[in-house]
Amino acid sequence: MNLSFEKSRPGRYFPVIPPLDVPEAALPDGMTRAAPPRLPEMAPPDISRHYARLARRTYGVNDGLYPLGSCTMKYNPKVNDEIANLPGFTGIHPLQPESAVQGCLEVLAESERLLCEITGMDAMTFQPAAGAHGEFTGVLLIKAYHDARGDGARDKIIAPDSAHGTNPATAGMTGYRVINVPSNGDGGVDLDALRAAAGPDTAGLMLTNPNTLGIFDRNILEITRIIHDAGGMCYYDGANLNAIMGIARPGDMGFDVIHLNLHKTFSTPHGGGGPGAGAVGCKARLSRFLPSPRAAKTGESYVFEAPEESVGRVTAFNGNFLVVVRALAYILTLGADGIPDAARNAVLNANYMMRKLSDIYDVAYPGTCMHEFVLTLERLKNDCGVSAMDVAKALLDRGIHPPTMYFPLIVKEALMIEPTETESRETLDHAVAALREIYDAAGTNPEILRNSPHTTPVRRPDEVNAARRPRLRYDFGS
Ligand SMILES: *Cc1c(COP(=O)(O)O)cnc(C)c1O
């Protein structure tokens, strides 16, 4: 397919900017370009077709199953988008006085109340723009807490080897040393190793639960007790709340801080690089450190408040507010019955798919999974020379988006599958049939799998170069 630059014809330009109807003002020296930008010149029908053609080549949850583990690529009700698009939400300016945006402050305060109820926390901020940003904010709260007590000796954060990669990364960014603890045979945290790691230098623990193996740690209460006994704080990575929302509350498990990915669980799609919200909740003893400002109700009206010992702002203004609007619309539509129902169906769908595959594929940690499960294709690789990558690419030829590959790192040839609650049994059966067919093909015709995909516009891109040296500009050649 040609680029718009290649389709460009001189003079096909059509005016999109209305004629100037105010006095012309000169721009400051050094701020004007020497030559006009070389933009493609195309007629409206050709532009329209160009983008329609591109849109047909993308793949999203509206096209089919998107079982990308740890991403919760589920169907997000369109009505929540419509609500977030109401002019009262999209037409506001962050510098408007509080009196002019009472409804928006109410959205923030009400979302905080409901999400605190779901997580068992006492206060929440919606400033962080992503999950990893939320982790960073949450670890800042832990640091502020120890600093405020004059306890400067705690310079380590413990993270299990089954944690999401962002956990050790954010702990490191906050200036902490990261201590890794291994998993036990069931895929949970090794308690003896945790006891050995915890001590007077422990600032806290960062735990992803359910972890990246899709397993809910059955020792969760003991884990938080060990950390608290050592004087540390417990951080819960709740990016994947889909499996437990409305059923179990991290606050009741002993956690002090949590982040949620509203752009996974709560009705904003994840993965398109679009705006997100890594809401951070905490227990009352940490709330005075939360980012400033926070929406609160005083009497009959809503105001912005500054927590006494705030860690400061972590984003411009109030984060990605419309993501919070969608989350509130989602929670209010599902209600107290619908939220746990969605979680149960997410767990049911993952277990259904896992059981339908486990007689031929090896499940990394067999047993009941939560919202996702991890296959290890090590045996297939050794026996047939077909890797997790080959299986993922072969799924593309069958019209199915591949699962997450080569993650978590502690599983060899990993495929991490998260079907989500919004898929029908027929869709799951179709994906199971495709994976079983690919498994058979690995025995009879591995070559065809090693060369897949055969049907996509781009076959196997050089992923390292695409990530490290992306070509994002058109090369005019002169
Ligand atoms: C997605 C995810 C994150 C990171 O969220 P981003 O919004 O991509 O920064 C962190 N932890 C877990 C467990 C996740 O699944």
Side-chain angles (χ1 to χ4, degrees):
M1 180 168 166
N2 288 335
L3 301 175
S4 57
F5 288 101
E6 290 155 348
K7 292 177 182 165
S8 173
R9 293 294 173 272
R12 291 276 166 82
Y13 169 83
F14 66 100
V16 286
I17 300 172
L20 190 66
D21 60 356
V22 291
E24 194 172 329
L27 289 169
D29 280 348
M31 295 200 68
T32 51
R33 31 193 332 149
R38 290 206 263 184
L39 299 174
E41 295 180 55
M42 287 170 83
D46 299 324
I47 293 178
S48 173
R49 285 175 194 158
H50 179 73
Y51 284 106
R53 210 168 284 145
L54 280 176
R56 278 195 295 276
R57 288 193 172 177
T58 63
Y59 186 96
V61 279
N62 286 334
D63 299 290
L65 182 69
Y66 206 133
L68 203 57
S70 209
C71 286
T72 313
M73 302 298 289
K74 60 184 181 181
Y75 167 78
N76 295 292
K78 301 296 175 249
V79 64
N80 299 339
D81 258 343
E82 275 180 39
I83 290 169
N85 275 329
L86 291 176
F89 292 133
T90 55
I92 54 168
H93 191 280
L95 294 179
Q96 265 176 265
E98 287 160 4
S99 61
V101 288
Q102 283 292 298
C104 296
L105 290 176
E106 184 176 354
V107 166
L108 289 173
E110 197 54 15
S111 304
E112 175 175 356
R113 187 180 70 79
L114 291 168
L115 285 165
C116 280
E117 171 75 34
I118 290 171
T119 55
M121 294 290 154
D122 298 317
M124 192 167 276
T125 175
F126 296 107
Q127 278 193 24
H133 194 194
E135 291 171 39
F136 179 72
T137 307
V139 177
L140 284 184
L141 299 183
I142 292 176
K143 189 166 190 323
Y145 172 80
H146 292 308
D147 287 349
R149 293 182 306 117
D151 189 347
R154 298 182 182 272
D155 60 353
K156 295 185 184 69
I157 292 269
I158 300 174
D161 61 2
S162 62
H164 195 264
T166 49
N167 296 176
T170 40
M173 268 185 76
T174 337
Y176 284 114
R177 254 189 57 212
V178 181
I179 305 293
N180 236 286
V181 292
S183 300
N184 61 24
D186 303 327
V189 175
D190 183 326
L191 289 182
D192 288 334
L194 184 67
R195 281 192 200 96
D201 59 353
T202 303
L205 163 84
M206 290 184 87
L207 193 79
T208 306
N209 189 47
N211 63 21
T212 56
L213 300 162
I215 289 170
F216 188 100
D217 203 308
R218 56 177 67 236
N219 297 316
I220 198 77
L221 294 174
E222 180 63 13
I223 289 170
T224 53
R225 207 178 57 75
I226 290 170
I227 298 300
H228 284 156
D229 284 353
M233 293 273 114
C234 296
Y235 183 97
Y236 190 99
D237 180 335
N240 300 302
L241 209 71
N242 229 36
I244 66 154
M245 58 178 179
I247 293 174
R249 308 195 317 164
D252 300 336
M253 301 172 204
F255 286 88
D256 308 283
V257 198
I258 181 176
H259 87 266
L260 304 175
N261 277 29
L262 300 189
H263 53 292
K264 278 179 186 169
T265 314
F266 294 99
S267 198
T268 289
H270 176 65
V280 172
C282 66
K283 291 286 197 182
R285 65 176 168 281
L286 294 173
S287 63
R288 67 182 192 279
F289 305 115
L290 278 169
S292 173
R294 294 179 52 221
K297 191 171 189 180
T298 59
E300 280 312 295
S301 52
Y302 291 89
V303 291
F304 272 129
E305 278 181 0
E308 303 143 55
E309 297 170 60
S310 172
V311 296
R313 257 185 200 289
V314 297
T315 190
F317 301 112
N318 302 295
N320 289 316
F321 172 64
L322 297 179
V323 179
V324 185
V325 176
R326 278 192 212 97
L328 181 60
Y330 182 75
I331 294 168
L332 292 177
T333 348
L334 262 65
D337 296 330
I339 296 271
D341 247 10
R344 278 185 207 104
N345 284 326
V347 172
L348 177 65
N349 278 0
N351 279 282
Y352 178 80
M353 255 190 101
M354 184 176 77
R355 292 276 169 254
K356 289 273 177 183
L357 292 168
S358 60
D359 59 323
I360 53 173
Y361 284 99
D362 297 326
V363 179
Y365 287 84
T368 307
C369 67
M370 291 282 110
H371 58 296
E372 63 194 2
F373 60 97
V374 179
L375 300 177
T376 166
L377 274 59
E378 199 182 3
R379 186 169 48 84
L380 205 65
K381 175 97 186 270
N382 291 339
D383 293 355
C384 311
V386 170
S387 66
M389 171 78 87
D390 299 331
V391 172
K393 297 293 183 193
L395 277 171
L396 289 173
D397 282 332
R398 286 152 183 86
I400 296 172
H401 194 284
T404 296
M405 306 178 292
Y406 297 101
F407 185 79
L409 302 177
I410 53 176
V411 176
K412 290 197 176 123
E413 294 297 321
L415 284 183
M416 180 196 225
I417 301 178
E418 179 180 7
T420 83
E421 74 278 15
T422 55
E423 299 304 332
S424 68
R425 181 170 177 175
E426 289 74 21
T427 304
L428 301 181
D429 285 340
H430 173 70
V432 166
L435 280 163
R436 296 186 72 94
E437 189 231 317
I438 292 168
Y439 187 91
D440 290 341
T444 55
N445 197 347
E447 205 47 39
I448 215 166
L449 298 182
R450 283 197 285 268
N451 290 318
S452 53
H454 301 271
T455 57
T456 54
V458 177
R459 302 215 18 216
R460 293 211 183 192
D462 177 343
E463 293 182 4
V464 174
N465 263 325
R468 298 267 160 80
R469 298 169 47 219
R471 281 174 49 203
L472 303 174
R473 299 172 60 173
Y474 182 65
D475 182 6
F476 287 96
S478 66

